[in-house]
Amino acid sequence: MKFAKRLGGLQTSIYSQLDELRREIVESGKTPINLSIGSPDLAPPEEVRQLVAKYALDPRCYDYTLTRGTYEFREACAKWYKIRFNVELDPETEVLPVMGSQDGISHIFWVFIDKGDSAFIPDPSYPIYSDGLALAEGRKIPLPLQEENDYLPDFSAVNSNEADKAKLMILNYPNNPTAAVAPASFFEEVVNFAVKHDIVICHDAAYTELAFDGYRPCSFLQTPGAKEVGIEFHSLSKTYNMAGARLGFVVGNAKVIKALETVKSNIDYGTFRPLLNAGVAALMHSSDTIIKNRETYQRRRDIWVDGCSLAGWNIKKPKGSMFIWAPVPTKQDSLSFVMDLARETGVILVPGSAFGEFGEGYVRVGLVRNEDILRQAVEKVRTFLENKD
Ligand SMILES: Cc1ncc(COP(=O)(O)O)c(C=O)c1O
């Protein structure tokens, strides 16, 4: 067999390595507490589950919905953006359903990137950005996200010639893995940069609804001029705890949306109709799920940060996302710390190095277990750190 060279550009998934570690923990007789993958453990809205079940029984719901999906779903997305962000969207031209934002993000590279074309990718970042670019055989220009800049890219440090050649920039706030948030003024800077260098902006807004202490993240599309230069991906995965249902949407620049539809119409035949129908109910009637999620993740965040501070592991409380980004509390690199902690305590975190060069020195904690389990995990971490000294 002669496999395509582009496969060589993909990173080996840290999650398979961590799953191996989980098996090793089970075999050693310990109970793993897996805080690695960001898959919500909370229930989707009941109305959504009832509607999926109802429509799944309806034989008329098994047709191809095609890439554009239903008008009702696109209209619900537009209404949701109007209510949540006061952004006007045309459901016919400025909204497209996707099978989870990962579907849209991975395929957006096919819209802009020919072999050798370059794109700005944050470092550290969600791995699909680099891998999607690699599949399109593009060239990555890393945008370092560093603590001293509140994990926002420093555009003044970007080489102007590189920027002129680049075609695309991916951004993501609230951010995975750093849990950082972006102020509206940052997005104004982004629009100016995009106009100056003729770059399309793709903002991944998967976590805008998970924010704490009364803080409400903004949409990139609220920025004047944003719709002329970019698009935004949103997902029902984290907002309504529907990760496995694979439903999201992309909104913004009509030309970009049309081009993404063209690419995707060669790849899929649209989302399962029961899901699109249930997605309308999620977007229109399920704000109580969002409120409950925020309260739950905020309590979990506090358990982790306050508990770890008792062992001298001082971590800043994030304002958003379902993650905590913490400096490695020992003198080890992030992978060695994660391995040692897991083998001794069963608590599995993700080493920052898995998200890029600038992730080294940090670990990511997924707040994906209930309060009791998180308290147990914190207790184990505390004992581990006290015995390290
Ligand atoms: C930043 C970010 N974007 C996108 C996704 C993918 O989400 P979806 O389930 O919508 O494909 C994730 C999933 O963890 C994520 O963390």
Side-chain angles (χ1 to χ4, degrees), residues 38 100-102 105 126 129 172 176 204 206-207 235 237-238 243 246:
S101 46
Q102 177 136 332
I105 294 165
Y126 184 57
Y129 309 152
N172 159 231
N176 175 13
D204 175 357
Y207 296 103
S235 169
S237 294
K238 314 295 159 91
R246 315 306 302 130

Side-chain angles (χ1 to χ4, degrees), residues 181-192:
V181 296
S185 57
F186 167 72
F187 286 129
E188 283 166 23
E189 231 189 294
V190 170
V191 170
N192 290 339

Side-chain angles (χ1 to χ4, degrees), residues 72-344:
E72 290 74 19
F73 181 73
R74 294 195 309 274
E75 184 188 38
C77 298
K79 280 188 183 158
W80 191 86
Y81 254 70
K82 176 71 188 160
I83 294 164
R84 170 65 176 88
F85 299 117
N86 199 24
V87 168
E88 301 277 354
L89 293 166
D90 178 349
E92 288 296 8
T93 58
E94 295 176 331
V95 183
L96 190 73
V98 289
M99 296 168 167
S101 46
Q102 177 136 332
D103 163 32
I105 294 165
S106 57
H107 290 125
I108 198 67
F109 294 103
W110 295 94
V111 170
F112 290 103
I113 301 296
D114 291 311
K115 188 173 180 175
D117 286 347
S118 50
F120 285 104
I121 307 288
D123 181 344
S125 68
Y126 184 57
I128 187 65
Y129 309 152
S130 297
D131 284 349
L133 179 64
L135 284 173
E137 299 182 81
R139 194 174 65 82
K140 171 160 86 173
I141 312 174
L143 268 183
L145 305 185
Q146 294 176 285
E147 194 169 353
E148 59 265 33
N149 298 326
D150 297 324
Y151 301 107
L152 299 170
D154 175 5
F155 291 124
S156 68
V158 170
N159 177 309
S160 219
N161 291 335
E162 286 264 63
D164 284 337
K165 278 189 236 145
K167 293 174 107 176
L168 196 65
M169 178 185 291
I170 308 283
L171 292 169
N172 159 231
Y173 293 98
N175 184 258
N176 175 13
T178 69
V181 296
S185 57
F186 167 72
F187 286 129
E188 283 166 23
E189 231 189 294
V190 170
V191 170
N192 290 339
F193 188 84
V195 170
K196 181 167 172 204
H197 298 288
D198 189 17
I199 292 171
V200 172
I201 305 296
C202 298
H203 182 236
D204 175 357
Y207 296 103
T208 53
E209 303 319 292
L210 297 184
F212 316 125
D213 308 317
Y215 174 74
R216 292 292 165 263
C218 50
S219 157
F220 167 63
L221 293 184
Q222 284 172 286
T223 323
K227 222 195 260 181
E228 277 72 64
V229 297
I231 54 170
E232 182 158 87
F233 291 95
H234 199 91
S235 169
L236 278 70
S237 294
K238 314 295 159 91
T239 299
Y240 300 107
N241 309 326
M242 291 170 63
R246 315 306 302 130
L247 185 58
F249 53 97
V250 51
V251 291
N253 187 282
K255 279 199 266 181
V256 179
I257 301 270
K258 182 77 206 151
L260 182 60
E261 185 197 337
T262 304
V263 168
K264 266 175 55 62
S265 65
N266 285 286
I267 293 167
D268 65 68
Y269 267 117
T271 309
F272 190 34
R273 189 176 294 273
L275 265 181
L276 289 173
N277 293 351
V280 172
L283 290 164
M284 292 295 92
H285 313 140
S286 303
S287 52
D288 51 334
T289 298
I290 297 179
I291 293 167
K292 240 188 260 161
N293 281 352
R294 284 180 190 140
E295 291 167 356
T296 304
Y297 286 113
Q298 182 171 324
R299 280 198 303 273
R300 291 176 177 185
R301 173 200 70 171
D302 292 346
I303 287 170
W304 188 273
V305 174
D306 297 342
C308 288
S309 77
L310 297 177
W313 188 7
N314 295 317
I315 305 165
K316 270 195 208 145
K317 282 191 180 174
K319 281 196 194 151
S321 85
M322 61 199 291
F323 306 107
I324 286 172
W325 186 242
V328 175
T330 58
K331 293 195 173 69
Q332 297 165 286
D333 61 59
S334 58
L335 182 61
S336 311
F337 170 72
V338 163
M339 290 295 190
D340 273 8
L341 179 73
R343 288 190 176 121
E344 270 188 48

